[in-house]
Amino acid sequence: MISQFYILSSRGDVIIRKDYLGDVPRTSSEIFFRNAKFWKEGDGEAPPVFNVDGVTYLHIKEGGVQLVATTRTNLSPSFVLEFLKRICTIVKDYCGFLSEDAIRKNVVLIYELLDEVVDYGFPQSTATEALKQFVVNDPTVVAPAFYLAKPLFSLSKGPTGVFKSVLDTNRTDGKRRDEIFVDVVERITCTFNASGYVASAQVDGAVQIKSYLAGNPPIKIKLNDDVLIGKRDAPYGRDLDRAAERGHM
């Protein structure tokens, strides 16, 4: 069982803290940060798992913050570290990015998520889809500074679209709510030549829909009337426009 879980900033400040069993002192966060920052064995960083005064500390670092779990029992280290990774994934799914700013602006939401994924120190379901029906707080999506600067190359992923449904009908008869979730996913693939110019570019997109409507009613999707396929000044684009005028598309 996990005794404590907390998220620390790069300065050692406690942003999120959950004490499940009460068998580890509250000063454990200070003990962890002091040992992790000034690791005495060698010049490298502290290992992901270490023990101090009978308390085992398991931690990972991602997005400039540290996620730490403490325990006094003999737990599988790989299991706890994987669980911490899953928590990182959940935070990214809801908040868009994992960073100190994103966590501070979504403290209430993260506490609600922790109440669902950990029960008295026992990890529960960490599937984002399963958490949607239990979490009611709306996330505040925060983009990191380098994302706001719009760099030329960026491998970071944006928000995965775990938000409120586009249709939410509250029912008073005790049955489930009618909901439908719509995600628009776009991917840009570019090839650059040796001079740094774009040699080719391609945009792939998809509209992903999950319907929780009772009775399986028909659904129609309408795109913007200004949407064009291809470029009008390109031969292929002109062919598409002619085909659309002839009614073949």
Side-chain angles (χ1 to χ4, degrees), residues 96-178:
F97 294 89
L98 177 60
S99 64
E100 180 180 348
D101 190 25
I103 294 174
R104 291 189 182 277
K105 292 186 177 181
N106 292 276
V107 169
V108 177
L109 172 64
I110 294 176
Y111 272 116
E112 186 178 7
L113 289 169
L114 290 175
D115 290 338
E116 297 296 336
V117 300
V118 183
D119 186 18
Y120 292 100
F122 289 96
Q124 306 295 315
S125 174
T126 56
T128 304
E129 294 292 332
L131 294 173
K132 284 183 180 179
Q133 56 183 325
F134 302 110
V135 177
V136 297
N137 283 286
D138 296 330
T140 302
V141 180
V142 179
F146 70 87
Y147 184 78
L148 294 175
K150 296 182 179 180
L152 181 60
F153 298 101
S154 178
L155 300 179
S156 298
K157 298 181 179 179
T160 57
V162 184
F163 304 105
K164 294 182 64 176
S165 65
V166 296
L167 173 64
D168 189 353
T169 304
N170 292 322
R171 307 185 63 168
T172 59
D173 54 0
K175 298 182 180 179
R176 69 176 188 179
R177 298 183 301 181
D178 290 337

Side-chain angles (χ1 to χ4, degrees), residues 43-63:
D43 298 330
E45 296 182 351
V49 181
F50 60 88
N51 188 285
V52 177
D53 297 332
V55 179
T56 302
Y57 297 86
L58 306 98
H59 67 100
I60 62 173
K61 186 175 182 179
E62 189 166 343

